[in-house]
């Protein structure tokens, strides 16, 4: 591997590693300040990860996080901040559950239909922000935040008894979906659990994300527009069209985020359906540096913190608050931003130093700067 390649790998890995170390160190300081051991909580959570049932929970949760993070990453690659993934995913899950409750087709048609409904709903909701941005210049950050709130109210309205809702106890639901729309998973036994069948969809989406962004003209145009709209426009790319397209694709992927849980386990949408998935996806996309492999590791890490932390409440002789994991996740966000900027500045200085050394060597050998640049 060339020296430049080694430095590039180092720069890619340094940010996440520094962020994790900083988050652990700061969390340990919080534990010390509260008079508790700064090491035992990590040991307890790592012990949980050795249990098969917890491993299944982590994989299942990571599949949801991975899809949500991919949706965020698509926006990031276009220099767009899609904060509306949470609203897009919840509205898509609700509409998918409604269709799955009222339509019964053979499984070979029902499942693709439900996936399509989820993608179209998410794309439609994100497309509103995209249209506002390209036609009126409205920031996608403001638009998607407002759309999250509207989605919450819309879901509450559509799940009323006189619309599509089915009252179950004190909870409004969409009713149980037809069994032809249930996606079977990998059953590892009654004591272990079942891995969602749509975990493989998350893997497929990660592969498609990498291929489209790195091996297609569309991916090049998307990345070029994100880097500089004016430069992209000069090369013949319609920047506004790319912004709208990126928002639609981001929303479509967001619409898939809740389907592993919906089609693999819950089989109904209710007001107790998980929230905050989109915001967690932002953390994961940042930690994974918008790279599909990096996002996968980050999704597994955050899912591990979520599913292993409940054991802290039952630790003996001293119980720890499971919110420690939440604190760590929040600190990761701050650490990621700071560490990435520090690594970027360090990498820039390394590059400037290397160019300076090459120019100095060229001057000593009576070579022109153009010859150095050509090399």
């Amino acid at each position: 591997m060339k020296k430049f390649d080694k430095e590039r790998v180092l720069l890619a890995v340094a940010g996440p590693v520094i962020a994790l170390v900083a988050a652990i160190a700061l969390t340990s300081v919080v534990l010390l300040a509260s008079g508790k051991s700064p090491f035992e909580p990590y040991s307890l959570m790592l012990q949980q990860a050795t249990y098969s049932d917890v491993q299944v929970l982590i994989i299942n949760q990571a599949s949801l996080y991975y899809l949500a993070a991919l949706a965020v990453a698509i926006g990031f690659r276009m220099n767009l901040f899609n904060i509306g993934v949470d609203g897009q995913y919840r509205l898509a899950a609700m509409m998918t559950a409604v269709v799955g409750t009222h339509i019964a087709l053979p499984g070979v048609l029902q499942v693709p239909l439900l996936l399509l409904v989820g993608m179209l709903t998410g794309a439609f909701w994100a497309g509103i922000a995209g249209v506002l941005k390209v036609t009126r210049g409205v920031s996608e950050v403001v638009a998607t935040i407002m759309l999250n709130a509207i989605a919450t109210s819309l879901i509450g309205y559509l799940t009323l008894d006189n619309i599509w809702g089915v009252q179950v106890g004190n909870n409004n639901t969409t009713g149980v979906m037809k069994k032809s729309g249930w996606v079977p998973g990998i059953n590892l036994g009654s004591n272990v659990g079942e891995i969602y069948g749509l975990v493989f969809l998350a893997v497929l989406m990660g592969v498609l994300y990498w291929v489209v962004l790195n091996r297609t003209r569309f991916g090049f145009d998307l990345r070029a527009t994100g880097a500089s709209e004016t430069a992209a426009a000069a090369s013949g790319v319609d920047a506004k069209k790319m912004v709208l397209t990126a928002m639609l694709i981001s929303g479509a992927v967001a619409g898939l985020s809740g389907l592993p849980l919906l089609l693999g386990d819950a089989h109904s949408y209710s007001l107790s359906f998980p929230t905050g998935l989109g915001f967690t996806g932002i953390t994961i996309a940042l930690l994974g540096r918008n790279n599909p492999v990096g996002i996968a590791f980050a999704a597994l890490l955050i899912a591990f913190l979520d599913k292993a932390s409940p054991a802290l409440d039952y630790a003996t002789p001293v119980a720890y608050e499971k919110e420690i994991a939440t604190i760590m996740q929040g600190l990761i966000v701050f650490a990621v931003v700071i560490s990435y900027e520090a690594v970027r500045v360090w990498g820039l200085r390394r590059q400037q130093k290397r160019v300076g050394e090459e120019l100095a060597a060229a001057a000593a050998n009576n070579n022109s700067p153009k010859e150095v640049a050509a090399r």
Side-chain angles (χ1 to χ4, degrees):
M1 184 179 289
K2 296 180 181 180
K3 182 179 179 181
F4 175 77
D5 292 333
K6 289 182 178 179
E7 288 190 2
R8 185 169 60 182
V9 171
L10 178 61
L11 289 174
V13 174
V17 171
I18 293 173
L20 287 176
V21 172
I24 292 173
L26 291 172
T27 305
S28 298
V29 170
V30 173
L31 288 168
L32 280 172
S34 62
K36 295 182 179 180
S37 169
F39 306 109
E40 189 177 10
Y42 308 123
S43 175
L44 292 171
M45 287 193 290
L46 288 173
Q47 184 180 9
Q48 289 296 306
T50 63
Y51 301 138
S52 300
D53 56 337
V54 177
Q55 291 170 2
V56 169
L57 293 174
I58 291 172
I59 292 173
N60 288 339
Q61 188 68 30
S63 67
L64 277 69
Y65 285 161
Y66 188 73
L67 289 168
L70 283 183
V72 175
I74 291 169
F76 281 164
R77 297 305 293 266
M78 260 292 296
N79 203 24
L80 296 171
F81 205 165
N82 182 9
I83 300 182
V85 168
D86 200 67
Q88 294 152 23
Y89 122 83
R90 288 187 290 113
L91 188 61
M94 190 275 297
M95 289 302 301
T96 302
V98 168
V99 172
T101 301
H102 294 87
I103 296 179
L105 298 175
V108 69
L109 298 176
Q110 183 84 342
V111 173
L113 172 64
L114 297 179
L115 294 176
L116 184 61
V117 169
M119 293 179 68
L120 290 177
T121 304
F124 169 75
W125 207 244
I128 296 174
V131 170
L132 289 173
K133 183 174 180 65
V134 300
T135 59
R136 299 299 179 188
V138 178
S139 168
E140 75 279 3
V141 175
V142 176
T144 51
I145 288 176
M146 295 299 101
L147 286 168
N148 278 342
I150 295 172
T152 300
S153 299
L154 183 60
I155 291 170
Y157 170 73
L158 293 176
T159 52
L160 292 175
D161 293 346
N162 58 340
I163 309 294
W164 288 323
V166 176
Q167 190 76 20
V168 177
N170 295 324
N171 198 1
N172 287 339
T173 77
T174 55
V176 179
M177 299 168 60
K178 307 298 183 184
K179 287 192 175 181
S180 59
W182 297 12
V183 177
I186 303 174
N187 194 337
L188 301 179
S190 58
N191 295 327
V192 178
E194 183 177 284
I195 296 176
Y196 297 154
L198 290 185
V199 164
F200 300 102
L201 174 64
V203 175
L204 176 61
M205 293 303 297
V207 173
L208 287 176
Y209 170 84
W210 184 87
V211 171
V212 170
L213 255 66
N214 297 284
R215 291 293 184 267
T216 66
R217 172 61 186 270
F218 171 78
F220 173 79
D221 290 345
L222 188 145
R223 288 183 285 113
T225 307
S228 173
E229 288 191 16
T230 55
S235 63
V237 178
D238 188 338
K240 289 187 176 180
K241 180 181 178 181
M242 291 303 300
V243 168
L244 180 57
T245 303
M247 286 299 294
L248 290 172
I249 296 175
S250 177
V253 177
L256 294 173
S257 300
L259 300 194
L261 172 61
L262 180 66
L263 305 186
D265 184 22
H267 308 307
S268 176
Y269 184 90
S270 68
L271 299 182
S272 60
F273 209 75
T275 59
L277 189 67
F279 299 106
T280 305
I282 295 173
T283 301
I284 294 170
L286 288 171
L287 187 58
R289 302 204 67 172
N290 302 323
N291 179 282
V293 177
I295 291 173
F297 283 111
L300 288 169
L301 171 65
I302 300 301
F304 158 73
L305 292 175
D306 282 349
K307 299 305 178 183
S309 59
L312 297 177
D313 281 339
Y314 309 104
T316 55
V318 178
Y320 295 85
E321 293 74 13
K322 64 180 180 181
E323 284 73 20
I324 290 171
T326 305
I327 293 173
M328 184 178 292
Q329 291 180 23
L331 291 174
I332 285 174
V333 176
F334 286 105
V336 160
V337 175
I338 296 171
S339 64
Y340 282 1
E341 179 62 20
V343 170
R344 186 191 69 81
V345 172
W346 178 77
L348 181 60
R349 289 177 178 174
R350 290 276 298 176
Q351 186 178 15
Q352 292 172 340
K353 180 180 179 181
R354 184 171 59 251
V355 171
E357 290 174 349
E358 291 179 352
L359 289 174
N365 295 326
N366 295 321
N367 293 330
S368 68
K370 289 184 178 180
E371 292 176 335
V372 175
R375 292 202 298 269

